[in-house]
Amino acid sequence: MIHTPHTLESFLTLCNEHQIHTVEIAAPDTQGHLRGKRVPVDRFFATCVHKGVNIADAMFVFDMQNDLPDNEFVNMETGYLDACLMPDVSTGRLLTHRPGYALVFSDAFGEDGKPHPLSPRAVLAKQIERCREQGLDLFVAPELEFYLCDADWDRVQNHIQYSSLTDALELEEVIADMRAALAGAGIEVEGSNAEYGPGQIEINCGPADAMTTADNTVLYKSIVRQVAVQHGLRATFMPKPFTEESGSGMHVHTSLNAEGVNAFADAQHLPNELMAQWTAGQLAHAPAMSLISAPTVNGPKRVRPYTFAPTHVLWGLDNRTVLARCVVAPGSSANRVEFRQAGSDANPYLMLAAILAAGSDGLSQALELPAMTEGDGYTNPGEATALATNLAGAIEAFKGSTLAGLLGDDFAASYVSLAQAEVALAAEHSPDVDEVNDWERARFLEFS
Ligand code: GLU
Ligand code: MG
């Protein structure tokens, strides 16, 4: 069943019907990793649902290995304060791949009782509010790729068989369990296919409002990893695990509705004004978005010509060589812009926040689309701005940008300091700009 928002009563009934013994109170950290507490179901409904649970605010300044690089907002001097995770029962889900467990997403509050400024859920909520004030009714769908590996993190295959229905039937048993677990958690599964990499898989999920989609996406990553482990395998969302193979992306599809009808739809096979401005905003802020799309040294290595990951600020119609792919036909309810920049390690809350901030800025400023790209955007990018191909370049494009300001000054400063720590580490351990080495794999395979 697709997730519909719960009341306290309906979530309690669900937990009783499914003999839930443990509720996970979850919040995404800055890397997009779900953290929180497991509590007995009785305690959840008696206490936690009203008072929340406490967790160290260090979770918002961790790097991917839980080290704590210097941070001006959360540090030894501030004493690593408690953040309170307040469950939002409307988001309650069953974890059917682990019978007896349910999960609720929560919002993080600081000791001053205000939303924690570094909490990715709070950063996204602010942009959703901004879009709401503009009267925008948004639909968002993610498209995530990942690699399946064996228990030692080697690829499960040596060959590529894109979208084959014949090859690798033994892997289908695992992927079928993933689809079932996703559906069990209320995530609408549209389909899965073998991607253009050995052991690379894509599972597509249906659209929802922005917060539900961000919640669905982090839960998707957690479920896919856990089901892989249940089968003695591993799944990785590292964006470029193998130098010679395809990277993994997180493409984000957005559309706007007006009075229940797709509002990009009155076009003549071309974006109408609303779609054009929404897309133009995403293009205008794309250079700064590079850092949210690829927050470590590994993600920028995915940004190379002829990989189907975008290298320049270009848009087109049904064209997979550009950054923004506009799918548009008169009268279609499926009209949407697919933004193809993010790697599979991008934090979905932050990526959606950036896309909403950029798109709504395009509308506020009535931005115009540049000329449309037809054909191969890699060979013929023309005068288009090139996207960052290393982390230092992405930091430079983000720091002090309009987008950084829109997302919040404190958040942006903290995010930049995390990225700068990654640059310093990589200078020592992974200086090659193209090659993906074992240090990177040890650092990023498991937790991206
Ligand atoms: N793997 C490509 C990427 O890194 C995308 C391939 C596709 O078009 O699905 O974005
Ligand atoms: Mg794909």
Side-chain angles (χ1 to χ4, degrees), residues 143 145 195 202:
E143 204 184 304
E145 298 167 334
E195 251 298 347
E202 176 168 317

Side-chain angles (χ1 to χ4, degrees), residues 384-416:
T385 307
L387 293 166
T389 53
N390 62 50
L391 187 56
I395 294 173
E396 202 181 304
F398 179 77
K399 206 175 165 183
S401 65
T402 307
L403 181 79
L406 288 171
L407 294 180
D409 291 338
D410 289 0
F411 161 75
S414 174
Y415 198 71
V416 164

Side-chain angles (χ1 to χ4, degrees), residues 306-338:
Y306 314 110
T307 60
F308 298 107
T311 55
H312 287 79
V313 180
L314 295 171
W315 77 277
L317 297 177
D318 187 3
N319 184 339
R320 287 180 167 78
T321 70
V322 297
L323 170 65
R325 172 174 165 255
C326 291
V327 179
V328 58
S332 167
S333 60
N335 292 328
R336 64 197 185 275
V337 48
E338 178 190 27

